[in-house]
Amino acid sequence: MQDQQLIIVGALVVLFLIAAIFLFLKNRKSTSPIEAKNEEKIENKRENFRVHVDEDDSLMVVKKIGPDSVNKEYTCKLVDISAGGAGVFCEEDFPLKDQIFVILHFSLNHEQFKFNGRIVRKIESLGRKHSLYGIQFLDMPEADGNRLIKEIIAIENNRRKISIK
């Protein structure tokens, strides 16, 4: 009789352990490299669709660095654009400890644009004399925003046509 009770208790313990392991595996987050990378992409998702461009001779007018008015023009290269901002290469080294407000002048498909913005990111190039600046557009009029979106879509559609052929 005592042997039967020991077998029953042992079987219950084994069943309990199997159930606990099953629940643990079901509820734990996966740490596989693919799923971790997908989670990282979701966190790094941009608010706006970004298109790579190659527009030399764009103009960036630095209006204000921190509390100081500047009003100085710099030639830059527009390398990507979205409805919310742009990426530009510039040879000037701006310190990001203070907020830097700019006006960015550029053209896309022969359409001229001029937007107020703020430098929000800086990526320095090793061994090169320029930095990549991320500019967030500020106070964009709706009509200008729609016009910009139209040109971004036109650029992307043109690229898709070329790659399909």
Side-chain angles (χ1 to χ4, degrees):
M1 183 79 147
Q2 222 175 19
D3 289 338
Q4 289 178 341
Q5 289 176 341
L6 272 173
I7 292 173
I8 292 173
V9 169
L12 287 174
V13 168
V14 169
L15 285 175
F16 176 77
L17 288 174
I18 290 173
I21 291 170
F22 175 76
L23 286 174
F24 173 77
L25 291 175
K26 184 178 176 184
N27 290 330
R28 82 177 180 127
K29 289 188 176 183
S30 175
T31 57
S32 74
I34 293 171
E35 289 184 13
K37 191 172 184 179
N38 288 339
E39 287 176 15
E40 182 181 313
K41 282 183 181 179
I42 291 169
E43 290 176 14
N44 193 23
K45 187 176 180 183
R46 294 187 183 272
E47 192 172 313
N48 296 298
F49 177 72
R50 187 168 294 270
V51 173
H52 295 282
V53 294
D54 191 14
E55 294 293 326
D56 290 324
D57 299 325
S58 296
L59 183 69
M60 182 169 61
V61 180
V62 176
K63 299 298 284 180
K64 213 172 172 189
I65 298 178
D68 301 325
S69 292
V70 178
N71 287 326
K72 190 167 181 189
E73 296 180 355
Y74 299 93
T75 302
C76 59
K77 179 178 181 177
L78 183 70
V79 294
D80 61 46
I81 188 79
S82 75
V88 298
F89 277 125
C90 185
E91 290 183 10
E92 188 66 26
D93 184 27
F94 298 111
L96 291 187
K97 63 183 177 193
D98 295 318
Q99 287 191 345
I100 302 171
F101 293 94
V102 301
I103 298 174
L104 186 62
H105 301 262
F106 61 94
S107 81
L108 292 176
N109 296 332
H110 308 291
E111 282 282 324
Q112 298 294 318
F113 293 95
K114 173 183 165 185
F115 293 118
N116 294 322
R118 177 172 61 101
I119 295 178
V120 293
R121 184 178 314 104
K122 176 182 180 181
I123 301 172
E124 295 181 34
S125 299
L126 295 176
R128 295 189 179 157
K129 57 182 179 177
H130 60 262
S131 296
L132 175 65
Y133 293 98
I135 298 172
Q136 177 186 28
F137 295 143
L138 304 172
D139 305 322
M140 181 188 300
E142 186 175 344
D144 288 340
N146 290 337
R147 197 166 55 96
L148 177 62
I149 291 170
K150 179 182 169 189
E151 294 306 321
I152 290 171
I153 291 169
I155 290 169
E156 188 59 26
N157 285 342
N158 190 37
R159 285 197 184 134
R160 287 183 181 166
K161 286 178 191 174
I162 292 170
S163 65
I164 290 173
K165 291 181 181 180

